[in-house]
Amino acid sequence: MIRVLAIDDEPLALQQLTTYIQKIPFLELTGQCQSAIEAKEILNQETVDAIFCDINMPDLNGMEFVKSLAAPPLVVFTTAYSEYAVEGFQVNAVDYLLKPFGLDDFRRAANRLQERLATPSPAPVTTESTQEDDTLFLKTDYKVVKIAISDIRYIEGMSEYLKLHLKSTPKPLITLLSMKKIEEHLPSYFMRIHRSYIINLKEIQEVNKNRVIMDADTYLPIGDNYKEAFNNYLNTKFLGK
């Protein structure tokens, strides 16, 4: 059984959480509360495996509440505001339920809790990029996915996040990671050409002045700090006068 705590300052929403928890055979409700402060008291007294926690609450919102815990249980956030999804990802939430949600959505989150407790939590990035294995494991959208390094066309840095543009899918993969960290695990056919871009050198179609053209719609700038190294690479491949 997974011991869970329901937290929501709205009585009707809290009742809905309680009802849904009771419908899932492997969940056991250890308590319900209407504030983060009350929840802290319960966590100090009870063994809790996971919490279903509203974000928008008075005094201390759910996100700050989870961040304040020294050893938080697994978390499923509930809220009516979709803009919290990325922040929920930052605190390693198992799932994110957007109100109003139904029993099917709730069951999906409960199953993810069960899966997470059944296996150790993976590190954000694990690499086995040897000659035999051209793969990375990256955390994205509340799950860990395996990608082939050779499938990466280029990587775009966005503050604390990376956007990986792949050959196999038009939709980029977004992960919470630094450029420096992923750069450590890329083979030599990748090169950083700008503070915001790492490219797969095999995917270059054209170099035009201070831009690298990856395809008809993708023109990436070459930063001043990276120009010399990139030009040196071009010189090793350039044939002609």
Side-chain angles (χ1 to χ4, degrees), residues 141-205:
D141 194 25
Y142 309 115
K143 59 183 179 289
V144 174
V145 298
K146 177 182 177 180
I147 65 167
I149 296 175
S150 57
D151 191 33
I152 302 171
R153 295 177 58 240
Y154 67 96
I155 300 168
E156 182 180 358
M158 305 184 303
S159 185
E160 297 177 338
Y161 291 84
L162 297 180
K163 184 183 289 188
L164 280 72
H165 299 263
L166 307 177
K167 290 182 276 183
S168 60
T169 174
K171 183 179 180 181
L173 182 152
I174 298 176
T175 185
L176 178 63
L177 200 64
S178 69
M179 295 283 273
K180 181 179 179 182
K181 185 66 175 178
I182 200 167
E183 209 170 2
E184 294 172 357
H185 300 290
L186 295 174
S188 58
Y189 60 86
F190 282 85
M191 179 177 285
R192 192 165 183 175
I193 61 165
H194 187 274
R195 62 185 178 85
S196 299
Y197 294 104
I198 297 172
I199 64 170
N200 182 338
L201 296 169
K202 297 179 181 180
E203 295 298 307
I204 297 175
Q205 291 192 3

Side-chain angles (χ1 to χ4, degrees), residues 64-229:
E64 294 304 320
F65 162 61
V66 172
K67 291 178 181 179
S68 73
L69 299 175
L74 296 180
V75 181
V76 175
F77 282 120
T78 66
T79 185
Y81 300 94
S82 60
E83 62 266 25
Y84 284 111
V86 171
E87 193 175 354
F89 179 75
Q90 287 180 309
V91 297
N92 202 27
V94 173
D95 208 343
Y96 176 93
L97 292 170
L98 185 64
K99 298 178 181 179
F101 54 86
L103 181 57
D104 287 344
D105 295 321
F106 185 86
R107 185 178 287 112
R108 178 203 69 210
N111 289 336
R112 287 183 176 178
L113 281 177
Q114 189 178 46
E115 291 169 3
R116 181 74 68 88
L117 286 169
T119 57
S121 296
V125 175
T126 303
T127 62
E128 297 177 5
S129 52
T130 62
Q131 291 181 345
E132 294 79 23
D133 194 347
D134 173 47
T135 59
L136 290 176
F137 287 88
L138 296 172
K139 188 166 186 179
T140 180
D141 194 25
Y142 309 115
K143 59 183 179 289
V144 174
V145 298
K146 177 182 177 180
I147 65 167
I149 296 175
S150 57
D151 191 33
I152 302 171
R153 295 177 58 240
Y154 67 96
I155 300 168
E156 182 180 358
M158 305 184 303
S159 185
E160 297 177 338
Y161 291 84
L162 297 180
K163 184 183 289 188
L164 280 72
H165 299 263
L166 307 177
K167 290 182 276 183
S168 60
T169 174
K171 183 179 180 181
L173 182 152
I174 298 176
T175 185
L176 178 63
L177 200 64
S178 69
M179 295 283 273
K180 181 179 179 182
K181 185 66 175 178
I182 200 167
E183 209 170 2
E184 294 172 357
H185 300 290
L186 295 174
S188 58
Y189 60 86
F190 282 85
M191 179 177 285
R192 192 165 183 175
I193 61 165
H194 187 274
R195 62 185 178 85
S196 299
Y197 294 104
I198 297 172
I199 64 170
N200 182 338
L201 296 169
K202 297 179 181 180
E203 295 298 307
I204 297 175
Q205 291 192 3
E206 186 179 332
V207 179
N208 188 336
K209 297 182 179 179
N210 291 324
R211 298 182 302 176
V212 173
I213 301 172
M214 306 298 288
D215 57 50
D217 300 314
T218 308
Y219 293 69
L220 304 181
I222 304 170
D224 291 340
N225 293 336
Y226 304 91
K227 192 176 299 183
E228 181 177 355

Side-chain angles (χ1 to χ4, degrees), residues 35-81:
S35 73
I37 295 172
E38 185 182 349
K40 272 194 173 185
E41 294 176 0
I42 294 177
L43 289 175
N44 288 334
Q45 299 169 7
E46 300 278 350
T47 300
V48 175
D49 300 311
I51 59 176
F52 288 86
C53 183
D54 186 29
I55 294 179
N56 287 30
M57 294 189 293
D59 299 326
L60 182 64
N61 73 38
M63 199 74 67
E64 294 304 320
F65 162 61
V66 172
K67 291 178 181 179
S68 73
L69 299 175
L74 296 180
V75 181
V76 175
F77 282 120
T78 66
T79 185
Y81 300 94

Side-chain angles (χ1 to χ4, degrees), residues 6-22:
I7 311 166
D8 200 306
D9 65 310
E10 299 176 6
L12 290 178
L14 186 58
Q15 182 58 49
Q16 182 194 47
L17 272 178
T18 300
T19 300
Y20 284 172
I21 289 169
Q22 292 169 342

